[in-house]
Amino acid sequence: MPAVPMIALNNGVEIPQLGLGLWQIANADMPKVVEAALNAGYRLFDTAAIYGNEASLGQALRRSSVPRSEIFVTTKLWNDEQGYERTLNAFEASLARLGLDYVDLYLIHWPQPMRNKYVETWQAFEKIYRGGKARAIGVSNFGPAHLERLLATANVVPSINQIELNPQFQQTALCAFDRAHGIATQSWSPLARGDFSDPVVEALARKHGKTPAQIVLRWHIERGLIAIPRSSHPARIRENIAIFDFALDADDMAKFTALDTARRTGPDPATF
Ligand SMILES: NC(=O)c1ccc[n+]([C@@H]2O[C@H](COP(=O)([O-])OP(=O)(O)OC[C@H]3O[C@@H](n4cnc5c(N)ncnc54)[C@H](OP(=O)(O)O)[C@@H]3O)[C@@H](O)[C@H]2O)c1
């Protein structure tokens, strides 16, 4: 099976273009899920403090024979831990739960503009980064206004902005903003949480002999995005990574344009 392409972040660290999302993956399922993913070729795992499964992810990774250096672990700071000191403590607690010496990527989970703390939180992220315990740092669910405010005082430009992005919610303007600032865009809910009812996607699936999920994930890849689909089923975990042996052409890609309803499936970062 062709390998997952790597994307170079703005600090030179490389991240696989496809990884496994772990939101709502139960601790009891983690060994099976991680084993299936590693065997299928996944090397990127996306967790968060709030998911409650950092410890079971760390245990599952330690059980595997894949070297730590080949694995890319992302975790995220939860909202009520924002603030300089709280962030430093929350990061150490995440590392301890994961049982790791470092993470590959640490993200501010939501901007939480009503708390007005993401600028000082970012200063703590920069300290963590300089200390070498996070190979890259970034944000999640940040819009242009949040990023502009953060960039006004930042010494380190975020490597990634992880945002809701799927064919129904394509976020073209925010992707352009990220790109213009050297920030890679990562798609959460890349499958719109499993909604594949669209006839355009079904027709492309028939044309390419692929499943609708594979068509949608390939669309993310063609757009240069980093996607982190979730599944708790080994067969689907394998299905979702089997997308590097075909390509969508310009006509196929154009068909997606009409699918953008500009409607989120998840919360709005301005108010959440
Ligand atoms: N930063 C943030 O604020 C944020 C927010 C949300 C999510 N995320 C991250 O992004 C990851 C992915 O997003 P998500 O979990 O919301 O949704 P998603 O990956 O878009 O969709 C997951 C759903 O699709 C189903 N599915 C997966 N593969 C399938 C396939 N091949 N065929 C049919 N159904 C399939 C899964 O069901 P089964 O499990 O039953 O297969 C699950 O119900 C999360 O796990 C998390 O790591 C981040």
Side-chain angles (χ1 to χ4, degrees), residues 1-235:
M1 181 183 306
V4 176
M6 303 295 282
I7 299 251
L9 300 175
N10 58 10
N11 65 350
V13 166
E14 294 201 320
I15 182 171
Q17 205 179 352
L18 188 89
L20 188 71
L22 296 174
W23 180 51
Q24 291 189 331
I25 297 295
N27 290 314
D29 288 339
M30 193 64 85
K32 170 192 78 175
V33 164
V34 169
E35 186 187 7
L38 288 171
N39 288 340
Y42 290 77
R43 292 296 179 265
L44 161 60
F45 295 89
D46 183 273
T47 185
I50 194 69
Y51 299 172
N53 57 19
E54 291 173 308
S56 61
L57 171 63
Q59 280 160 18
L61 291 176
R62 275 192 297 284
R63 261 198 293 274
S64 102
S65 57
V66 180
R68 168 69 183 97
S69 59
E70 289 178 18
I71 290 173
F72 194 108
V73 175
T74 302
T75 194
K76 314 185 193 84
L77 176 84
W78 188 238
N79 301 339
D80 59 5
E81 304 286 12
Q82 284 208 28
Y84 190 83
E85 289 299 331
R86 289 184 77 89
T87 295
L88 297 179
N89 292 333
F91 176 71
E92 290 298 331
S94 274
L95 268 191
R97 284 191 293 269
L98 285 159
L100 296 176
D101 303 329
Y102 68 91
V103 296
D104 297 278
L105 178 64
Y106 195 41
L107 300 177
I108 303 181
H109 207 145
W110 292 85
Q112 293 267 291
M114 65 296 282
R115 287 183 199 262
N116 195 24
K117 282 194 175 161
Y118 60 78
V119 170
E120 64 169 282
T121 298
W122 189 249
Q123 287 164 0
F125 268 57
E126 291 186 349
K127 182 176 165 69
I128 291 164
Y129 177 64
R130 281 194 299 270
K133 288 185 176 178
R135 293 175 68 228
I137 50 175
V139 297
S140 179
N141 300 301
F142 274 48
H146 310 127
L147 277 168
E148 265 162 4
R149 186 159 166 235
L150 185 141
L151 290 169
T153 54
N155 294 305
V156 179
V157 175
S159 287
I160 281 200
N161 189 13
Q162 184 184 113
I163 56 175
E164 179 180 351
L165 200 159
N166 45 59
Q168 293 90 317
F169 191 58
Q170 298 189 10
Q171 299 254 47
T172 312
L174 185 47
C175 288
F177 182 97
D178 287 349
R179 203 175 315 114
H181 292 83
I183 302 168
T185 303
Q186 189 171 39
S187 310
W188 66 253
S189 291
L191 298 171
R193 299 189 180 164
D195 178 4
F196 308 112
S197 50
D198 194 275
V200 169
V201 174
E202 281 175 359
L204 287 173
R206 279 193 300 278
K207 172 180 167 184
H208 289 280
K210 290 284 177 180
T211 67
Q214 289 172 324
I215 294 295
V216 170
L217 291 170
R218 186 68 212 184
W219 172 83
H220 289 269
I221 300 301
E222 306 290 357
R223 283 192 57 189
L225 300 161
I226 304 157
I228 45 169
R230 161 180 55 106
S231 177
S232 50
H233 295 101

